[in-house]
């Protein structure tokens, strides 16, 4: 059976990580999953999708001080439990969907600690897309047409939330290069350059791209 290749993309807000993931998926002829993971987790669990969206890559503030208490172990909590709709179980169901996707198809998965969930999967390629803050601000302003001061605050808040979420559920640091196969600067390479760098890595490591 041919091994699926799954590219996971963690990203600074404004770095273009999501856009790059979509470009990569289109170029490779595979699917890109972002918020679709939340919809699929809702369908799998029967838990309202709104709850998944409310907690998407976010934590309740007191949890960040409980180091690795939520570290992912893979166990789903049963519907009869008081913890069935807990943040921890919402993450568990997202992780189940990510694992199911990896077993089913080659694809791109954006965020949601997918690199950690699939850390033991031989076909995973984990990528962190980053860029200098000023460049991310400019990109966000162009995309959202928001005042710069508001964008700066939003970027800081979003990246902090993503970092806390990742740290809590994995026990690792979100922006630690050792957690990823590739860390790529989208300002220096451009979106197409980052996509091509990922594809070049896949060719070297696996000998071919997905669907070849």
């Amino acid at each position: 059976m041919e091994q699926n290749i799954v590219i996971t993309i963690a990203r600074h807000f404004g770095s273009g990580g999501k856009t790059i993931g979509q470009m990569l998926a289109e170029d490779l002829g595979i699917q890109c999953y972002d918020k679709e993971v939340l919809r699929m987790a809702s369908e799998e669990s029967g838990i309202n999708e709104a709850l998944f969206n409310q907690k998407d890559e976010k934590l309740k503030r007191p949890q960040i001080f409980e180091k690795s208490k939520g570290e992912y172990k893979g166990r789903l909590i049963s519907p009869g439990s008081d913890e069935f709709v807990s943040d921890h179980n919402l993450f568990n169901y997202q992780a189940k969907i990510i694992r199911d996707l990896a077993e089913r198809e080659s694809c791109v998965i954006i965020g949601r600690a997918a690199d950690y969930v699939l850390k033991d999967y031989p076909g995973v390629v984990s990528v962190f897309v980053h860029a200098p803050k000023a460049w991310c601000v400019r990109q966000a302003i162009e995309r959202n047409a928001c005042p710069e001061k508001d964008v700066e605050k939003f970027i800081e808040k979003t990246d902090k939330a993503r970092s806390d979420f990742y740290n809590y559920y994995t026990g690792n640091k979100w922006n630690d290069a050792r957690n990823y196969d590739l860390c790529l600067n989208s300002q220096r390479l451009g979106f197409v350059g980052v996509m091509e760098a990922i594809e070049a890595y896949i060719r070297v490591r696996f000998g071919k791209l997905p669907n070849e």
Side-chain angles (χ1 to χ4, degrees), residues 151-207:
V151 171
E152 286 183 354
K153 291 178 181 177
F154 185 79
I155 287 176
E156 290 175 359
K157 180 179 179 180
T158 302
D159 283 349
K160 182 66 164 59
R162 289 175 179 174
S163 177
D164 290 345
F165 178 90
Y166 185 92
N167 297 355
Y168 180 73
Y169 286 111
T170 72
N172 296 326
K173 296 296 183 182
W174 179 62
N175 58 357
D176 187 336
R178 292 171 294 184
N179 296 326
Y180 306 96
D181 295 310
L182 296 171
C183 292
L184 299 170
N185 185 324
S186 55
Q187 179 192 30
R188 293 194 183 279
L189 294 178
F191 290 4
V192 173
V194 172
M195 181 188 74
E196 291 176 345
I198 296 170
E199 291 183 351
Y201 175 86
I202 293 172
R203 280 194 183 278
V204 170
R205 180 170 160 191
F206 297 102

Side-chain angles (χ1 to χ4, degrees), residues 44-104:
E44 174 80 17
S45 65
I47 298 172
N48 193 308
E49 186 176 349
L51 291 177
F52 285 97
N53 280 291
Q54 288 170 10
K55 303 300 180 182
D56 188 25
E57 293 189 291
K58 301 182 186 73
L59 281 180
K60 294 177 181 176
R61 298 306 300 171
Q63 289 180 325
I64 67 174
F65 300 108
E66 302 173 26
K67 186 178 180 181
S68 299
K69 182 179 178 182
E71 188 172 343
Y72 173 67
K73 302 296 183 183
R75 184 179 66 85
L76 294 172
I77 299 172
S78 65
S81 170
D82 291 340
E83 297 297 310
F84 181 62
V85 295
S86 65
D87 291 0
H88 185 63
N89 207 36
L90 295 178
F91 180 85
N92 289 347
Y93 269 103
Q94 291 178 64
K96 181 181 185 302
I97 295 301
I98 289 168
R99 295 199 318 273
D100 289 348
L101 288 170
E103 291 298 325
R104 188 178 76 198

